[in-house]
């Protein structure tokens, strides 16, 4: 067994992990239950026969490569990564550093079109390629979320997907370039993007055929995920795990309700809290499932550049994430105070990459 270490070279070579591979052209009920199982057991899985055209992926990767091969001054015209733009080595606001350069974009079409002007010499083409890619992976993310809802026997199967389909969805798109480098001249790669969980609902990741992604398994071992340029790698974000956390608590009190409801534009009393919002998403999510938002990181390859493209499906900023009021009783108190995605996002950005954020919301 290998103990997780910030120094990637200290780890003996752990066995690569074979993530569950879900064939989306399979029978729907079966696919739904396989996805649900993968989210409970791994928090990560791969999808094949996903319906995203290869040309869409290739065009996006090509734009990415062409951007990253530009001289620094041109890349910097995209503006700093805070809030959206070009970043190099610096990650987030609190001193995290990695061997990576990246473009971080909001997926709102207006924002994509504005960013394109400074990112590309052919903004119209860049804009249409990014919009095409985002549309395709959002479609895939929605499909997966609907299947999860089905696997959890949730009533309204579009409950989760509604949040990322919303025009106000705060979903992001990120292009990463990990130039070849090694850790202190050793035979292992350096840390490109340090240990973290993704704060959002769901991440859809695609990379070229260069390895680097590692996931942290329960006993603090880092296991590499072999690259697969034909598949998408999908992982559960904090917000999806969160639903699971309150569900467990409810389950432990013998209250299993297998349905979920989404109500927009209402006010609620939740336990001692009055939740007021004109654009309120109220999530009523109960299941005996438990989805995991798993820690992962990316190492660089010592010889080859790694390119990855990540879509982070998120709710609108005002979306409320909480447990339903009728299930908040003295026996099953709220685990987390109600909060909006905006609040959670702000908390995430106020911390370091590897910090745990959920406990800030513990009651
Ligand atoms: C991890 C997932 C996404 O890449 C990201 C990252 C963001 C950033 O790179 O600016 C964060 C990181 C990510 C988690 C905690 C905060 C925010 C850096 C950081 C220290 C764009 C996101 O949404 O959260």
């Amino acid at each position: 067994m290998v103990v997780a270490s910030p120094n990637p070279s200290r780890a003996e070579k752990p066995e690569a992990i074979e993530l569950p591979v879900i064939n989306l052209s399979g029978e729907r009920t079966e696919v739904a239950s396989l996805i649900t199982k993968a989210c409970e057991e791994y928090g990560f899985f791969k999808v094949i026969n996903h319906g995203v055209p290869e040309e869409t992926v290739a065009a996006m990767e090509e734009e990415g490569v062409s951007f990253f091969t530009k001289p620094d001054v041109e890349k910097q015209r995209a503006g700093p990564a805070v809030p959206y733009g070009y970043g190099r080595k610096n990650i987030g606001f609190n001193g995290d550093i990695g061997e990576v350069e990246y473009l971080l974009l909001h997926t709102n079409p207006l924002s994509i079109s504005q960013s394109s002007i400074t990112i590309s010499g052919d903004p119209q083409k860049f804009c249409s390629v990014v919009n095409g890619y985002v549309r395709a992976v959002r479609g895939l993310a929605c499909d997966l979320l609907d299947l999860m809802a089905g696997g959890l026997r949730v009533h309204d199967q579009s409950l989760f997907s509604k949040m990322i389909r919303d025009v106000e969805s705060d979903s992001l798109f990120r292009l990463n370039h990990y130039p070849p480098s090694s850790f202190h001249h050793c035979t292992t790669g350096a840390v490109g993007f340090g240990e973290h969980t993704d704060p959002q609902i769901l991440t859809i990741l695609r990379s070229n055929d260069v390895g680097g992604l590692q996931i942290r398994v329960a006993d603090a071992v880092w296991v590499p995920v072999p690259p697969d340029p034909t598949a998408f790698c999908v992982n559960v974000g904090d917000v999806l795990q969160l639903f699971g956390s309150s569900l467990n608590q409810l389950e432990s009190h013998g209250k299993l309700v297998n349905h979920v409801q989404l109500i927009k534009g209402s006010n609620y009393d939740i336990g001692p809290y009055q939740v007021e919002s004109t654009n309120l998403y109220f999530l009523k999510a109960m299941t005996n499932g438990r989805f995991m938002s798993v820690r992962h990181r990316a190492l660089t390859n010592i010889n080859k550049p790694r390119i990855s493209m990540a879509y982070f499906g998120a709710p609108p900023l005002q979306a409320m994430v909480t447990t339903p009021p009728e299930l908040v009783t003295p026996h099953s108190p709220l685990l987390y105070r109600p909060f909006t995605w905006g609040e959670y996002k702000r908390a995430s950005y106020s911390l370091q990459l590897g910090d745990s954020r959920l406990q800030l919301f513990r009651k």
Side-chain angles (χ1 to χ4, degrees):
M1 284 287 143
V2 185
V3 175
S5 147
N7 173 349
S9 71
R10 233 189 282 147
E12 295 155 35
K13 270 221 156 114
E15 291 280 311
I17 197 167
E18 255 318 311
L19 292 180
V21 180
I22 315 278
N23 181 349
L24 289 184
S25 67
E27 198 272 314
R28 226 171 144 79
T29 322
E30 171 124 349
V31 171
S33 85
L34 288 173
I35 290 180
T36 307
K37 193 162 177 268
C39 291
E40 288 166 354
E41 291 177 2
Y42 291 83
F44 266 86
F45 59 93
K46 290 200 305 192
V47 287
I48 55 168
N49 291 323
H50 40 67
V52 177
E54 270 318 303
E55 312 83 76
T56 308
V57 179
M60 191 62 256
E61 206 174 290
E62 222 172 87
E63 288 293 337
V65 170
S66 121
F67 175 80
F68 290 124
T69 43
K70 285 179 174 187
D72 282 354
V73 273
E74 281 188 40
K75 290 189 272 200
Q76 269 145 15
R77 267 188 221 135
V82 180
Y84 305 112
Y86 173 68
R88 190 157 167 252
K89 296 196 189 234
N90 294 312
I91 299 168
F93 299 93
N94 297 303
D96 286 291
I97 285 185
E99 293 302 320
V100 64
E101 59 172 344
Y102 59 93
L103 261 181
L104 185 60
L105 306 176
H106 197 280
T107 60
N108 173 316
L110 184 65
S111 170
I112 291 177
S113 122
Q114 279 165 352
S115 310
S116 302
I117 300 168
T118 51
I119 290 172
S120 171
D122 186 347
Q124 268 182 354
K125 181 173 171 233
F126 185 84
C127 180
S128 105
V129 169
V130 177
N131 274 322
Y133 184 82
V134 165
R135 214 177 302 121
V137 289
R138 182 177 45 231
L140 172 60
C142 287
D143 203 20
L144 293 171
L145 289 169
D146 292 350
L147 284 158
M148 285 174 199
L152 296 169
R153 275 177 262 119
V154 161
H155 237 55
D156 174 2
Q157 299 209 350
S158 58
L159 175 87
F160 299 129
S161 63
K162 272 178 193 163
M163 290 188 279
I164 62 171
R165 256 197 211 105
D166 194 301
V167 286
E168 288 176 42
S169 154
D170 186 43
S171 300
L172 305 180
F173 175 58
R174 175 177 204 127
L175 274 166
N176 291 311
H177 171 221
Y178 301 97
S181 68
S182 61
F183 182 81
H184 290 195
H185 313 290
C186 299
T187 50
T188 32
V191 174
F193 204 100
E195 167 178 2
H196 67 286
T197 59
D198 294 339
Q200 294 83 358
I201 302 177
L202 196 70
T203 303
I204 310 278
L205 182 80
R206 180 78 177 214
S207 72
N208 62 353
D209 61 356
V210 177
L213 175 66
Q214 298 193 325
I215 67 177
R216 198 179 138 147
V217 297
D219 42 3
V221 177
W222 283 107
V223 285
V225 176
D228 182 349
T230 63
F232 282 97
C233 184
V234 181
N235 66 279
V236 169
D238 294 353
V239 167
L240 207 52
Q241 160 165 340
L242 226 156
F243 298 148
S245 313
S246 20
L247 308 179
N248 278 347
Q249 165 113 349
L250 290 158
E251 183 188 11
S252 68
H253 289 97
K255 289 188 181 208
L256 288 177
V257 182
N258 287 317
H259 73 274
V260 177
Q261 249 180 24
L262 178 81
I263 306 154
K264 199 175 174 185
S266 322
N267 289 341
Y268 286 91
D269 280 317
I270 298 171
Y273 301 96
Q274 164 94 73
V275 179
E276 284 176 40
S277 166
T278 49
N279 187 19
L280 173 73
Y281 275 91
F282 180 69
L283 291 162
K284 216 173 166 188
M286 253 123 296
T287 139
N288 52 0
R290 185 164 67 94
F291 288 3
M292 299 195 298
S293 175
V294 171
R295 286 179 171 262
H296 53 284
R297 67 179 184 180
L299 299 189
T300 62
N301 182 284
I302 55 171
N303 301 310
K304 292 179 276 182
R306 177 166 189 261
I307 297 278
S308 72
M309 316 195 278
Y311 166 83
F312 303 98
L317 289 169
Q318 316 90 312
M320 203 67 187
V321 180
T322 189
T323 313
E326 66 271 32
L327 291 158
V328 181
T329 68
H331 293 294
S332 57
L334 275 181
L335 269 187
Y336 301 97
R337 66 176 178 81
F339 58 84
T340 62
W341 161 247
E343 259 183 281
Y344 192 71
K345 183 176 180 178
R346 229 175 298 125
S348 304
Y349 277 79
S350 72
L351 297 170
Q352 285 203 284
L353 196 54
D355 289 340
S356 302
R357 315 151 194 140
L358 272 172
Q359 90 273 359
L360 289 179
F361 295 87
R362 280 300 290 226
K363 281 191 60 206

